[in-house]
Amino acid sequence: MSSDARLAAELAAAAGRLLLEIRTRDAGECDPRELGRRGDAESNTYLLERLAAERPADEVLSEESADSPARLGVDRVWIIDPLDGTREFGLPGRTDWAVHVALWEAGRGVTAAAVAQPAIGVVHASDAPVKRVAPERDRLRILVSDSRPPAFAPYLAEAVPAELVPMGSAGAKAMAVVRGDADAYVHAGGQWEWDSAAPVGVALASGLHCSRIDGSPLTYNQPHPYLPDLLICHPDLADRLLTEIDAAAAPTH
C-alpha cells in the first residue's frame, strides 16, 4: 500500500491527465461552461472510485458530491476538489486550474496533500517539499483571485507595498507561492474547505505560513465546510502582512 501522500499525488496526477484528455476531446463540441461541467463530473467520478478502492474505510468530502454527515464521526476524511478553477479550465489557453487531493485526520489536521497543475505538467505533494527560491524583487508579489479579489487588496498593496497579480484557481496561486513565483496569496472572497485543504497541506510541508486573514488557524472537516479566507506566505512575511491586512480591512476602507 502506498503512503497517503503518494496516493494523493498519484490520484491528483491521474485526474489531471483525465482532464487534459477531456479538454482535448470535448473543447470543439461544447461551450466553456459545459466543458468545465464535464471536467468537474468526470474527475470527481474518477477520484471517488479510486478512493473507494484504495481507502475503503475513509470518508470523502468533495466539492462535486453531496455532503455526508458520516464524515464527522470518522478519523480519516479525504477532502478533494476534482477541478479547481472550473472557469479557467473551460477557457482556451488558460493554465491556472488544478486538482486538489488532501487527507484530514482527527487530532492531526491535514496530513497528506497533493496539488496537480496538469496544464503545466506539475504535481506538488506534501511528501516532497519544495525548496522555495524567490528572486529579489523591488516589491512583493501578492496573488489574488482574478474574479473575486479582496475589497481591501488595493489598500494592502499600497501599504506593503506590493504588486497585485490576479490568477485563477486557489491551487495555482498557492503553488506559485510554494515555488517562489510570488510572495503571498491572500483571499477573502469566500471559499470552502476543498479550495484550500490540499494547497495548505502542500504549503505547510514546504515551510510556509498558512492561516486565516486574522491569523487564526485553518480548521478542516467542520460540520459546515465554509472557510472563507486565507493567507499563504513565507513565515518572515506573516506578521507584517497580517498587520497590514487588519488595517486595510478596517471599516474605513
Side-chain angles (χ1 to χ4, degrees):
M1 180 182 293
S2 62
S3 72
D4 292 321
R6 277 299 87 201
L7 177 61
E10 178 189 340
L11 296 187
R17 291 191 294 270
L18 172 62
L19 286 164
L20 289 174
E21 291 173 6
I22 294 167
R23 219 182 189 198
T24 300
R25 181 193 74 200
D26 297 350
E29 66 178 53
C30 59
D31 63 25
R33 186 183 297 270
E34 173 61 17
L35 184 61
R37 190 199 65 76
R38 293 183 187 184
D40 275 326
E42 293 189 35
S43 180
N44 188 57
T45 297
Y46 173 79
L47 290 173
L48 293 180
E49 289 178 350
R50 286 292 308 276
L51 286 169
E54 300 283 349
R55 300 291 190 271
D58 298 351
E59 291 290 331
V60 180
L61 172 63
S62 171
E63 179 181 16
E64 301 303 325
S65 297
D67 193 5
S68 168
R71 66 179 173 82
L72 301 175
V74 300
D75 290 337
R76 290 168 53 95
V77 179
W78 292 87
I79 303 175
I80 64 173
D81 190 341
L83 174 52
D84 183 62
T86 304
R87 180 177 66 91
E88 290 78 17
F89 174 79
L91 297 174
R94 293 291 293 261
T95 63
D96 47 345
W97 51 276
V99 179
H100 299 176
V101 180
L103 173 66
W104 170 92
E105 294 189 77
R108 301 177 63 194
V110 175
T111 57
V115 176
Q117 294 180 261
I120 62 172
V122 171
V123 180
H124 292 294
S126 57
D127 65 345
V130 174
K131 185 175 181 181
R132 182 178 182 276
V133 179
E136 291 293 328
R137 300 185 178 99
D138 293 334
R139 294 191 299 168
L140 297 181
R141 288 170 55 88
I142 297 179
L143 300 177
V144 295
S145 169
D146 64 352
S147 59
R148 293 175 296 157
F152 60 77
Y155 304 97
L156 175 64
E158 183 177 356
V160 170
E163 174 190 6
L164 295 178
V165 181
M167 185 183 291
S169 171
K173 291 189 283 288
M175 295 307 99
V177 179
V178 166
R179 291 190 296 269
D181 300 337
D183 300 291
Y185 165 33
V186 179
H187 186 79
Q191 282 185 342
W192 299 82
E193 290 186 14
W194 46 75
D195 291 307
S196 65
V200 164
V202 174
L204 287 172
S206 292
L208 297 184
H209 168 92
C210 300
S211 72
R212 306 269 315 258
I213 61 170
D214 64 359
S216 61
L218 295 151
T219 56
Y220 295 93
N221 199 39
Q222 297 300 296
H224 185 52
Y226 187 58
L227 194 54
D229 53 74
L230 173 68
L231 169 65
I232 298 177
C233 65
H234 191 278
D236 292 345
L237 296 174
D239 288 345
R240 176 183 171 194
L241 289 176
L242 288 168
T243 297
E244 296 297 355
I245 288 170
D246 182 61
T252 54
H253 293 151

